[in-house]
């Protein structure tokens, strides 16, 4: 740079007024503020987008957790249902023959609780047999030891009556039960009448435990007998 150029630059600087410098600084600051505001606005939008995405992800995760819980619950129920269905399908046939008609027992098996080895099918129940003997109504197959007698001899009422005094049907509420009484051998106190036994057997007597065995009582038991007055289960579990 020569001397004339230096003189020209000094001349130009001497012509800049203080107001012009202030206006230029203000303009620069405003430009910077505007730029920062734009950046801030952009960051806010990005934050909102991230928060919305996080909220959606949380909803998705919550929904997935709920679906997983439902699937696990349904799996558990399906396993239980399939287990019962397997029982129902596979165990339709019992490993026993009816001692009246001679056919293999299908469906319900009635095993005499007072004989060593005597069974009847659902069709032949009520056939000629000792009237003082009591039958077990069995839905699912059980491998009994044929040498074992399952029930003691129950003392019946001396009168020729078919009214089970003070016994109430736990389904229809009829009291007393007249005719055939079915007493659950595994519950403390659950009885059904003959009509409800036929009507609700397909629904397991209003969702009663389907593995429970019922005791078929054609005659009333004497009220002084232990199993009549106490709420003790008569049978142990077989399954």
């Amino acid at each position: 740079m020569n001397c004339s150029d230096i003189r020209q630059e000094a001349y130009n600087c001497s012509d800049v007024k203080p107001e012009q410098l202030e206006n230029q600084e203000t303009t620069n600051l405003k430009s910077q503020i505007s730029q920062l505001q734009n950046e801030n606005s952009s960051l806010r939008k990005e934050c909102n987008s991230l928060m919305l995405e996080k909220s959606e992800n949380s909803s998705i995760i919550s929904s997935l957790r709920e679906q997983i819980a439902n699937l696990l619950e349904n799996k558990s129920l399906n396993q239980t249902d399939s287990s019962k269905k397997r029982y129902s399908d596979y165990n339709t046939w019992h490993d026993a023959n009816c001692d009246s008609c001679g056919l293999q027992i299908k469906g319900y098996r009635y095993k005499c609780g007072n004989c060593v080895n005597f069974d009847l099918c659902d069709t032949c129940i009520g056939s000629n047999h000792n009237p003082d003997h009591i039958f077990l109504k069995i839905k699912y197959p059980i491998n009994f030891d044929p040498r074992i007698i399952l029930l003691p001899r129950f003392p019946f009422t001396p009168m020729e009556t078919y009214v089970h005094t003070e016994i109430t049907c736990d389904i229809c509420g009829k009291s007393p039960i007249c005719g055939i009484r079915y007493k659950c051998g595994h519950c403390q106190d659950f009885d059904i009448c003959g009509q409800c036994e036929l009507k609700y057997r397909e629904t397991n007597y209003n969702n009663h435990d389907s593995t429970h065995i019922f005791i078929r009582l054609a005659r009333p038991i004497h009220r002084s007998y232990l199993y009549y007055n106490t709420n003790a289960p008569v049978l142990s579990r077989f399954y």
Side-chain angles (χ1 to χ4, degrees):
M1 181 180 292
N2 54 32
C3 292
S4 68
D5 293 334
I6 294 172
R7 289 194 192 95
Q8 183 65 35
E9 184 175 352
Y11 178 78
N12 292 336
C13 290
S14 64
D15 290 340
V16 177
K17 298 180 181 180
E19 294 82 1
Q20 291 177 338
L21 291 174
E22 291 179 0
N23 291 336
Q24 187 176 358
E25 290 178 358
T26 301
T27 301
N28 291 337
L29 287 173
K30 287 182 178 180
S31 177
Q32 293 177 8
I33 290 172
S34 177
Q35 184 178 357
L36 289 173
Q37 286 177 341
N38 291 334
E39 290 179 358
N40 185 48
S41 177
S42 192
L43 287 172
R44 284 179 179 276
K45 289 180 180 179
E46 186 175 353
C47 287
N48 290 335
S49 177
L50 290 174
M51 291 295 293
L52 181 61
E53 184 178 354
K54 181 179 179 181
S55 177
E56 291 177 350
N57 289 337
S58 297
S59 299
I60 293 173
I61 291 172
S62 177
S63 177
L64 288 174
R65 285 176 178 171
E66 184 177 353
Q67 292 179 31
I68 291 172
N70 291 334
L71 287 173
L72 290 174
E73 182 179 359
N74 290 334
K75 181 180 178 182
S76 176
L77 291 175
N78 289 335
Q79 286 178 344
T80 302
D81 292 341
S82 63
S83 176
K84 290 183 178 180
K85 185 176 181 181
R86 186 169 62 253
Y87 258 127
S88 179
D89 293 342
Y90 178 77
N91 293 316
T92 300
W93 294 93
H94 294 264
D95 188 19
N97 291 335
C98 176
D99 286 289
S100 179
C101 65
L103 299 176
Q104 184 178 0
I105 296 176
K106 179 181 179 181
Y108 289 98
R109 172 187 179 186
Y110 293 86
K111 179 174 180 59
C112 181
N114 304 121
C115 288
V116 174
N117 187 14
F118 189 87
D119 299 274
L120 293 175
C121 65
D122 203 19
T123 303
C124 296
I125 185 64
S127 301
N128 292 332
H129 191 62
N130 191 328
D132 291 335
H133 285 195
I134 296 175
F135 282 86
L136 303 178
K137 177 176 169 289
I138 303 167
K139 183 175 183 180
Y140 301 135
I142 305 174
N143 292 322
F144 292 106
D145 186 339
R147 300 167 297 177
I148 296 177
I149 295 177
L150 299 175
L151 292 176
R153 297 295 293 270
F154 287 10
F156 296 102
T157 55
M159 297 182 295
E160 288 295 329
T161 178
Y162 298 95
V163 178
H164 302 267
T165 307
E166 299 180 7
I167 303 299
T168 302
C169 177
D170 286 288
I171 295 182
C172 68
K174 183 172 71 174
S175 179
I177 293 177
C178 299
I180 305 295
R181 167 193 175 193
Y182 290 88
K183 176 176 177 59
C184 181
H186 303 292
C187 290
Q188 291 183 343
D189 184 18
F190 188 84
D191 299 272
I192 55 178
C193 64
Q195 291 179 341
C196 289
E197 194 279 327
L198 289 174
K199 185 177 180 180
Y200 295 99
R201 61 166 52 181
E202 297 302 325
T203 60
N204 291 325
Y205 314 116
N206 288 346
N207 298 322
H208 193 75
D209 192 329
S210 60
T211 63
H212 284 191
I213 294 175
F214 280 82
I215 300 171
R216 184 181 184 273
L217 299 169
R219 294 168 55 193
I221 301 173
H222 195 277
R223 63 181 307 163
S224 63
Y225 194 64
L226 173 67
Y227 297 126
Y228 185 93
N229 287 324
T230 63
N231 289 330
V234 180
L235 299 174
S236 58
R237 294 304 298 261
F238 295 107
Y239 297 102

